Every structure is written in structure tokens, then in C-alpha cells.
Amino acid sequence: MTEPEIRVLIADDHKIVRTGLRMILESHGVVVSGEAADGVEAVESARRLRPDIVLLDIEMPRLDGIEVTKLLSQQSLRVVILTSFDSDDYVYAALQNGACGYVLKHGGPALLIEALHAAMAGDALVSPSITVRLLRHLARRTGTAGTFTGEPLTEREKQVLSLLARGQSNDEIARSMVIAPSTVKTHVQSVQRKLGARNRVELAAWAWETGHVE
């Protein structure tokens, strides 16, 4: 069974970058539905073309990537940030405003394609070099264990959440807990529902912020 086609809008202010990205994406079977050279054009093109994902740089003329992300996520459009800026503040702002991923340009084509598929699956991928550092930073910023007033998590769900927050994949969590990957997926979906989280990044952030990771 073949995977569904992914349609992507590329938004970057450098034409040579857009051209290179188009070549990479099309070589992996991704359809490039359009290009945008600045933030305003990115918003207008995304609204008109309704791509599956907007692949967006952070620092864009006329309207920066954070604001573009906020506007597009409000319209249920997926945004994956692709940038050279390895900044905790940028990552945090992008994810808080609805980005479905944050990938560094030096991460290579494989990571980029993985991030697109993760976004399509309702998940989120952040470059590994950023993930744990960012989440630990969030834990230090809050300094307190928050409370959750909704349906409580089971002990099993807390275990899964803790491992997820350390950057483990479903397969890795399954091996750690000696359970099936499908069971891990079920637990993750249950935790997402209980916390109202949109993706794994929000789950991990909540876990670090509320002291669920030792």
C-alpha cells in the first residue's frame, strides 16, 4: 500500500534554497504545490492553494515565520519550520504558535522527509540536537510542577509520557516497557486526548513543565 501524496508549499526568501528544496522533495515523491518568497506571500499562497504542509523559514521579509505560523495554524494548516536558526526561543515560539515540526537545514533530506510524514500523521518532529535541550529549558523556566484538572493519567500512561519526553520513539518505548508498539500508540493517543495536546512535542513539553520527567 503506497503512502498518500503530500502537497507542500515552500516558503523561503532565498530562491536557491527554494530550488534545492523543490528538487529534494520531488525526488522523494512530494508534490510542491507552490513557492513563496516572503511571509505575506506565504500566508496568501497557503490560503489559496491549501497545501497539506507549509514548509517555512523563520526569518522572512514582510512577516516573520512565527507570525505566519500563528496565522496558518489558526486556519488548520500544518506548518513545519525549516531553518538554520538553532535558537530555543525560536523553537519554543514556533511550537507554541502551532508548528508541527522544527527542523534544522543541516539535518539533511532524510530528517526533512521524516518531519513531513510526522506532520501528516498528526505528530511533530524536532531536530534531535534541539529536543531534549529545549524541553529541559522549559522545565527550568516553570520551576514548579503544574496540576492537571482533567481525567487523570494512569501509571502506565505516565511511564509512556516520561519516556516520550526523553525523546524515545514508540518502538523504543515498547522495548523499554516490554509491550507492543501498538499498545504504546494507544497510550500516547489516550494521553493526547486527556491533555488536549496536538502532538508529541506538546506532550513532551507538558511532561517537562509539570515535573513528570526525572
Side-chain angles (χ1 to χ4, degrees):
M1 181 177 176
T2 58
E3 292 183 335
E5 181 179 89
I6 301 176
R7 296 175 301 109
V8 171
L9 171 68
I10 300 171
D12 194 290
D13 57 329
H14 294 100
K15 182 172 177 56
I16 191 170
V17 173
R18 297 197 305 274
T19 301
L21 286 173
R22 177 183 283 272
M23 293 174 62
I24 291 170
L25 295 176
E26 290 180 344
S27 72
H28 285 81
V30 177
V31 175
V32 177
S33 57
E35 298 181 13
D38 61 59
V40 172
E41 186 180 355
V43 173
E44 293 173 347
S45 296
R47 287 171 173 168
R48 183 178 75 255
L49 299 171
R50 302 298 298 184
D52 295 312
I53 299 170
V54 178
L55 192 57
L56 176 69
D57 195 6
I58 279 284
E59 293 205 346
M60 297 279 284
R62 299 176 69 192
L63 194 65
D64 69 75
I66 300 300
E67 189 62 29
V68 172
T69 299
K70 181 179 180 180
L71 291 172
L72 295 183
S73 64
Q74 290 172 348
Q75 299 177 46
S76 301
L77 284 162
R78 303 180 187 91
V79 176
V80 171
I81 300 295
L82 179 66
T83 185
S84 58
F85 292 97
D86 183 3
S87 161
D88 289 350
D89 288 340
Y90 275 151
V91 180
Y92 186 68
L95 297 175
Q96 286 293 96
N97 281 283
C100 296
Y102 194 104
V103 182
L104 298 177
K105 288 179 178 177
H106 62 67
L111 187 65
L112 172 59
I113 299 302
E114 185 181 350
L116 297 181
H117 284 289
M120 288 296 292
D123 206 340
L125 186 149
V126 175
S127 285
S129 61
I130 298 173
T131 306
V132 174
R133 185 188 78 229
L134 170 69
L135 296 173
R136 283 176 176 161
H137 174 64
L138 292 179
R140 287 196 301 269
R141 282 178 57 172
T142 58
T144 59
T147 57
F148 175 61
T149 58
E151 186 180 351
L153 303 182
T154 66
E155 287 305 312
R156 207 64 157 162
E157 287 169 347
K158 290 177 182 178
Q159 284 180 285
V160 169
L161 180 61
S162 178
L163 293 173
L164 181 154
R166 295 190 181 100
Q168 291 193 17
S169 67
N170 282 3
D171 287 343
E172 290 170 334
I173 294 171
R175 287 194 294 271
S176 297
M177 298 180 63
V178 197
I179 57 178
S182 60
T183 302
V184 176
K185 184 177 180 181
T186 299
H187 285 314
V188 171
Q189 290 173 338
S190 176
V191 176
Q192 275 189 249
R193 176 182 57 80
K194 289 179 178 180
L195 300 183
R198 289 172 292 187
N199 50 55
R200 292 172 76 94
V201 173
E202 288 190 356
L203 287 180
W206 185 87
W208 283 95
E209 288 175 343
T210 56
H212 281 74
V213 184
E214 294 180 0

